[in-house]
Amino acid sequence: MSGTTAVTVLLAAGLLVSPAAPAQAASAQQCRGQGVDPGARIRYQADVVIKAPLSRVFKLQTDVERWPEWQKPVLTAKRLDHGALREGSRFRWTTPAPATPTTPATTLKITSTVQQLKRDSCVLWTGPAIGAGLRIDRGVHLWTFTKVKGGVRVHTEETWTGEQVEADIPTATRALGAGLDAWLSDLKAAAE
């Protein structure tokens, strides 16, 4: 597992098509009327088509406690409530973050809260990511799932805010993008 993959997946997940520039335009994608932070300076979005049933893809993505089984960068994942994932559900997960020119290598602890969820359609969660020497104050992560010919189009986008990550927007955006791209690749491999 590469350091960039680990950082990007972990940061993308909690708090996250071609790589985006730091000034990537905001998307119109939403889940029940809510989307990523329109004012955030760190943002990335990506898509993949997965040749699998929509129900399988959605279940893989929303069964957060099983993420470590198919995402190498996710070290641990635990639900903080019971029952089906729903609006208000919380989960905590960890992932390694490699050193950058401004931050040390660390393991991030991400506590995510589901803001919106529509079965087989979309999920939106938010939360901070905190490690020794690294902090993302607020990540907003949106996933949408659309049936297409031959499978499911999965769209994801994420924004980050926080003084520390905003001090180096290009590095933070690259990390976020690499993580989201790796996450989509892992989801595709697991579902197909």
Side-chain angles (χ1 to χ4, degrees):
M1 161 177 61
S2 75
T4 301
T5 300
V7 167
T8 50
V9 169
L10 68 113
L11 299 177
L15 312 184
L16 250 242
V17 173
S18 59
Q24 182 179 13
S27 164
Q29 296 280 330
Q30 295 188 336
C31 184
R32 295 186 177 254
Q34 291 186 23
V36 296
D37 183 342
R41 296 171 59 203
I42 300 164
R43 63 181 55 250
Y44 189 86
Q45 57 185 309
D47 297 87
V48 69
V49 173
I50 299 175
K51 296 176 185 173
L54 175 59
S55 60
R56 179 186 313 157
V57 176
F58 191 80
K59 181 173 175 35
L60 272 169
Q61 182 57 34
T62 57
D63 188 356
V64 298
E65 288 188 308
R66 297 189 73 166
W67 285 355
E69 295 175 16
W70 56 270
Q71 291 188 75
K72 291 177 187 173
V74 177
L75 303 175
T76 64
K78 180 179 179 174
R79 286 282 305 275
L80 301 178
D81 53 22
H82 301 287
L85 197 69
R86 64 194 174 282
E87 186 177 325
S89 289
R90 297 178 65 233
F91 54 97
R92 183 168 295 130
W93 53 288
T94 60
T95 186
T100 71
T102 58
T103 61
T106 188
T107 296
L108 288 175
K109 183 185 288 184
I110 302 157
T111 304
S112 299
T113 302
V114 176
Q115 302 299 320
Q116 295 293 331
L117 185 141
K118 183 175 180 184
R119 184 173 176 79
D120 293 337
S121 178
C122 61
V123 61
L124 175 82
W125 63 71
T126 63
I130 303 167
L134 177 59
R135 179 182 177 92
I136 299 167
D137 292 342
R138 186 166 191 256
V140 181
H141 199 166
L142 172 69
W143 292 85
T144 60
F145 306 83
T146 309
K147 277 187 173 183
V148 296
K149 186 175 182 173
V152 179
R153 176 183 171 263
V154 179
H155 173 83
T156 187
E157 58 187 281
E158 185 170 359
T159 55
W160 290 348
T161 55
E163 185 177 329
Q164 188 175 28
V165 291
E166 290 172 8
D168 186 351
I169 292 170
T171 297
T173 302
R174 279 191 303 276
L176 175 58
L180 290 180
D181 289 340
W183 194 326
L184 286 174
S185 178
D186 288 346
L187 180 59
K188 181 177 176 71
E192 292 182 345

